Amino acid sequence: MLSVERYEEILHQIEKKNIVKVSDLSKILGVTEKTIRLDLETLEQRGLLTRIHGGAMLAEKDTRIFPIEERQSLKSDEKRLIANEAVKHIKPGETILMDGGSTTLALASLFGEIPVTVITNDIRIASVLLDKEKVQLIVLGGSRIGTSSSLFGSEASELLKRIRVNRLFFGTTGVSIQHGLTVLDSIHADWKRQIIKCADHVTLLADSSKFEKVALIQFAPLDDIDDIITNSSLQKKIKEQLEENDISVILADR
């Protein structure tokens, strides 16, 4: 088993149980307890968990993997501001690909008066858009992972190879000048790599807490993004560094 596969399973176990023991992880993953301790040290350095005597526990809330209901409540004001700014950039007649996530869900709730086509793999976003008469809705099928509202599958992946959209709105777990865009598992990483390739214009929606954080797997360098919409709490130094990399940074203000 590759180290990144162990990391994913450790995070899955800790998300499910809140606290895990080194001895239990050693049995589940079929490796020595020394290897598990080194893995936990690596994940703690990335802010993804907190080591305790004999095991590990969930990290602070802003780095945890939450079900979407919980993530929606975190930074909810910032997400609404970002969504309000994002909707201003949508043009009538566009085809928009929307990644799953709490901020894109907030954006979906603002659709209604603009005639657009929306493609998504997220059943919560699809549910929000269902009654909006001016939105032509296309849902990419597949199976969900755990309690996630996003669907993943080979048929959706094949379709992505054949479509072209005007605009992509998507999210991420971490944004780093040095390490680019990162998420916590390989399925999401593969998905985001695919959707970025489909779009003429790529917009990242991320509140300021996501910046200068590095999750487990890089799925794209910063130069794959056309612009970032974030809240005005973003540090000035980070904004300047992004703009030095030819990335437009749009601050959503009250």
Side-chain angles (χ1 to χ4, degrees), residues 67-68 71 122-124 144-152 188:
I68 193 165
R71 286 190 283 119
D122 189 278
I123 55 179
R124 289 184 184 272
R144 71 175 186 168
I145 302 170
T147 59
S148 168
S149 59
S150 295
L151 306 177
F152 302 95
H188 290 113

Side-chain angles (χ1 to χ4, degrees), residues 177 222-223 225 238-248:
I177 301 297
L222 288 176
D223 57 15
I225 308 170
I238 296 175
K239 181 176 184 291
E240 291 172 349
Q241 289 176 323
L242 290 166
E243 290 173 339
E244 287 171 4
N245 284 273
D246 296 321
I247 298 166
S248 173

Side-chain angles (χ1 to χ4, degrees), residues 97 99 121 140-141 151-165 168 170 183 186-200 202 218-220 224:
L97 181 55
D99 186 24
N121 70 320
L140 300 174
L151 306 177
F152 302 95
S154 58
E155 288 154 358
S157 296
E158 285 301 314
L159 180 60
L160 287 176
K161 295 175 183 178
R162 303 194 299 271
I163 64 172
R164 193 75 194 167
V165 301
L168 166 67
F170 77 111
V183 289
S186 55
I187 292 176
H188 290 113
D190 289 342
W191 175 259
K192 291 177 188 289
R193 290 187 191 108
Q194 291 180 74
I195 59 178
I196 286 173
K197 293 177 182 177
C198 296
D200 294 331
V202 177
Q218 185 196 57
F219 65 89
D224 276 1

Side-chain angles (χ1 to χ4, degrees), residues 101-129:
S102 52
T103 308
T104 46
L105 180 61
L107 173 58
S109 68
L110 301 177
F111 282 60
E113 297 306 314
I114 308 172
V116 291
T117 298
V118 175
I119 303 171
T120 186
N121 70 320
D122 189 278
I123 55 179
R124 289 184 184 272
I125 289 175
S127 178
V128 166
L129 295 175

Side-chain angles (χ1 to χ4, degrees), residues 1-10 29 31 35 39:
M1 180 180 286
L2 299 174
S3 58
V4 69
E5 294 174 325
R6 292 199 309 273
Y7 297 161
E8 286 186 56
E9 183 58 28
I10 288 170
L29 295 169
V31 295
T35 297
D39 289 345

